[in-house]
Short mmCIF file of all heavy atoms in Angstrom, two decimals:
data_model
loop_
_atom_site.label_atom_id
_atom_site.label_comp_id
_atom_site.label_asym_id
_atom_site.label_seq_id
_atom_site.Cartn_x
_atom_site.Cartn_y
_atom_site.Cartn_z
N LYS L 1475 11.06 -10.76 -10.42
CA LYS L 1475 11.41 -9.79 -11.57
C LYS L 1475 10.44 -8.66 -11.32
O LYS L 1475 9.13 -8.77 -11.23
CB LYS L 1475 11.19 -10.39 -12.90
CG LYS L 1475 11.43 -9.43 -14.00
CD LYS L 1475 11.08 -9.99 -15.27
CE LYS L 1475 11.23 -8.92 -16.35
NZ LYS L 1475 10.66 -9.36 -17.68
N TYR L 1476 10.92 -7.50 -11.23
CA TYR L 1476 10.03 -6.27 -11.07
C TYR L 1476 9.49 -5.83 -12.33
O TYR L 1476 10.11 -5.68 -13.38
CB TYR L 1476 10.95 -5.11 -10.45
CG TYR L 1476 11.12 -5.23 -8.92
CD1 TYR L 1476 12.20 -6.09 -8.48
CD2 TYR L 1476 10.31 -4.61 -8.04
CE1 TYR L 1476 12.39 -6.22 -7.06
CE2 TYR L 1476 10.45 -4.81 -6.66
CZ TYR L 1476 11.48 -5.59 -6.21
OH TYR L 1476 11.60 -5.74 -4.87
N ASN L 1477 8.17 -5.62 -12.22
CA ASN L 1477 7.41 -4.99 -13.35
C ASN L 1477 6.92 -3.63 -13.06
O ASN L 1477 6.57 -3.30 -11.85
CB ASN L 1477 6.21 -5.90 -13.66
CG ASN L 1477 6.68 -7.29 -14.20
OD1 ASN L 1477 7.35 -7.38 -15.20
ND2 ASN L 1477 6.45 -8.29 -13.44
N ARG L 1478 6.74 -2.75 -13.97
CA ARG L 1478 6.21 -1.40 -13.79
C ARG L 1478 4.67 -1.52 -13.90
O ARG L 1478 4.15 -2.05 -14.84
CB ARG L 1478 6.78 -0.45 -14.83
CG ARG L 1478 6.40 0.98 -14.55
CD ARG L 1478 7.05 1.95 -15.46
NE ARG L 1478 8.44 2.09 -15.04
CZ ARG L 1478 9.25 2.88 -15.64
NH1 ARG L 1478 9.06 3.43 -16.72
NH2 ARG L 1478 10.52 2.90 -15.24
N TRP L 1479 4.03 -0.84 -12.98
CA TRP L 1479 2.55 -0.74 -12.95
C TRP L 1479 2.17 0.72 -12.82
O TRP L 1479 2.92 1.54 -12.29
CB TRP L 1479 2.04 -1.39 -11.73
CG TRP L 1479 2.28 -2.89 -11.72
CD1 TRP L 1479 3.41 -3.68 -11.57
CD2 TRP L 1479 1.20 -3.90 -11.88
NE1 TRP L 1479 3.25 -4.93 -11.59
CE2 TRP L 1479 1.95 -5.21 -11.81
CE3 TRP L 1479 -0.14 -3.95 -12.03
CZ2 TRP L 1479 1.21 -6.37 -11.90
CZ3 TRP L 1479 -0.85 -5.17 -12.09
CH2 TRP L 1479 -0.13 -6.35 -12.07
N LEU L 1480 1.01 1.07 -13.36
CA LEU L 1480 0.49 2.42 -13.43
C LEU L 1480 -0.66 2.52 -12.42
O LEU L 1480 -1.63 1.76 -12.52
CB LEU L 1480 0.14 2.90 -14.79
CG LEU L 1480 -0.48 4.26 -15.05
CD1 LEU L 1480 0.53 5.35 -14.62
CD2 LEU L 1480 -0.97 4.38 -16.46
N VAL L 1481 -0.66 3.43 -11.56
CA VAL L 1481 -1.83 3.67 -10.62
C VAL L 1481 -2.84 4.48 -11.41
O VAL L 1481 -2.57 5.55 -11.86
CB VAL L 1481 -1.40 4.52 -9.37
CG1 VAL L 1481 -2.62 4.74 -8.50
CG2 VAL L 1481 -0.35 3.81 -8.66
N VAL L 1482 -4.01 3.84 -11.68
CA VAL L 1482 -5.00 4.46 -12.63
C VAL L 1482 -6.18 5.07 -11.90
O VAL L 1482 -6.94 5.83 -12.52
CB VAL L 1482 -5.42 3.52 -13.74
CG1 VAL L 1482 -4.29 3.04 -14.61
CG2 VAL L 1482 -6.07 2.25 -13.07
N ASP L 1483 -6.41 4.70 -10.69
CA ASP L 1483 -7.55 5.28 -9.89
C ASP L 1483 -7.52 4.81 -8.47
O ASP L 1483 -6.76 3.93 -8.08
CB ASP L 1483 -8.88 4.73 -10.63
CG ASP L 1483 -10.05 5.69 -10.34
OD1 ASP L 1483 -9.90 6.67 -9.57
OD2 ASP L 1483 -11.13 5.45 -11.00
N ARG L 1484 -8.39 5.52 -7.76
CA ARG L 1484 -8.59 5.10 -6.33
C ARG L 1484 -9.70 4.08 -6.33
O ARG L 1484 -10.73 4.27 -6.99
CB ARG L 1484 -8.95 6.25 -5.49
CG ARG L 1484 -8.93 6.05 -4.07
CD ARG L 1484 -9.19 7.38 -3.34
NE ARG L 1484 -9.21 7.12 -1.86
CZ ARG L 1484 -8.56 7.87 -1.03
NH1 ARG L 1484 -8.02 8.92 -1.41
NH2 ARG L 1484 -8.63 7.42 0.27
N ALA L 1485 -9.47 2.93 -5.69
CA ALA L 1485 -10.46 1.85 -5.72
C ALA L 1485 -11.66 2.06 -4.87
O ALA L 1485 -12.82 1.74 -5.23
CB ALA L 1485 -9.84 0.49 -5.31
N ASN L 1486 -11.45 2.74 -3.78
CA ASN L 1486 -12.73 2.89 -2.82
C ASN L 1486 -12.78 4.34 -2.44
O ASN L 1486 -12.37 4.81 -1.30
CB ASN L 1486 -12.49 2.02 -1.62
CG ASN L 1486 -11.22 2.21 -0.90
OD1 ASN L 1486 -10.27 2.80 -1.48
ND2 ASN L 1486 -11.10 1.67 0.30
N VAL L 1487 -13.27 5.20 -3.38
CA VAL L 1487 -13.34 6.67 -3.10
C VAL L 1487 -14.16 7.04 -1.87
O VAL L 1487 -13.97 8.16 -1.33
CB VAL L 1487 -13.87 7.39 -4.37
CG1 VAL L 1487 -12.86 7.25 -5.49
CG2 VAL L 1487 -15.24 6.89 -4.74
N ASN L 1488 -15.13 6.15 -1.43
CA ASN L 1488 -15.93 6.53 -0.37
C ASN L 1488 -15.39 6.06 1.05
O ASN L 1488 -16.02 6.23 2.10
CB ASN L 1488 -17.34 5.89 -0.49
CG ASN L 1488 -17.99 6.46 -1.70
OD1 ASN L 1488 -17.95 7.52 -2.07
ND2 ASN L 1488 -18.72 5.53 -2.54
N ASP L 1489 -14.16 5.48 1.04
CA ASP L 1489 -13.63 5.09 2.33
C ASP L 1489 -12.28 5.69 2.47
O ASP L 1489 -11.25 5.08 2.10
CB ASP L 1489 -13.52 3.49 2.36
CG ASP L 1489 -13.09 3.14 3.73
OD1 ASP L 1489 -12.82 3.86 4.62
OD2 ASP L 1489 -12.98 1.76 3.88
N PRO L 1490 -12.11 6.89 3.00
CA PRO L 1490 -10.74 7.56 3.15
C PRO L 1490 -9.90 6.92 4.24
O PRO L 1490 -8.76 7.14 4.25
CB PRO L 1490 -11.15 9.01 3.45
CG PRO L 1490 -12.53 8.94 4.12
CD PRO L 1490 -13.21 7.82 3.42
N GLN L 1491 -10.53 6.19 5.13
CA GLN L 1491 -9.71 5.63 6.21
C GLN L 1491 -8.83 4.48 5.74
O GLN L 1491 -7.68 4.37 6.22
CB GLN L 1491 -10.69 5.06 7.30
CG GLN L 1491 -9.89 4.69 8.58
CD GLN L 1491 -10.90 4.31 9.68
OE1 GLN L 1491 -12.11 4.41 9.51
NE2 GLN L 1491 -10.36 4.10 10.83
N PHE L 1492 -9.32 3.60 4.76
CA PHE L 1492 -8.58 2.53 4.30
C PHE L 1492 -8.48 2.63 2.82
O PHE L 1492 -9.07 1.90 2.05
CB PHE L 1492 -9.13 1.21 4.72
CG PHE L 1492 -9.29 0.99 6.23
CD1 PHE L 1492 -10.47 1.19 6.94
CD2 PHE L 1492 -8.18 0.79 7.01
CE1 PHE L 1492 -10.59 1.10 8.25
CE2 PHE L 1492 -8.18 0.58 8.33
CZ PHE L 1492 -9.40 0.77 9.02
N PRO L 1493 -7.55 3.50 2.27
CA PRO L 1493 -7.52 3.71 0.80
C PRO L 1493 -6.85 2.52 0.14
O PRO L 1493 -5.91 1.96 0.59
CB PRO L 1493 -6.74 4.97 0.67
CG PRO L 1493 -5.89 4.99 1.89
CD PRO L 1493 -6.69 4.39 2.98
N THR L 1494 -7.49 2.10 -0.98
CA THR L 1494 -6.82 1.20 -1.89
C THR L 1494 -6.88 1.82 -3.29
O THR L 1494 -7.66 2.69 -3.60
CB THR L 1494 -7.59 -0.17 -1.90
OG1 THR L 1494 -8.95 0.02 -2.18
CG2 THR L 1494 -7.40 -0.89 -0.59
#
Side-chain angles (χ1 to χ4, degrees):
K1475 177 186 173 192
Y1476 280 84
N1477 296 295
R1478 183 174 287 181
W1479 295 70
L1480 176 64
V1481 182
V1482 294
D1483 204 354
R1484 191 174 179 138
N1486 53 347
V1487 293
N1488 296 323
D1489 188 359
Q1491 187 174 2
F1492 299 104
T1494 57

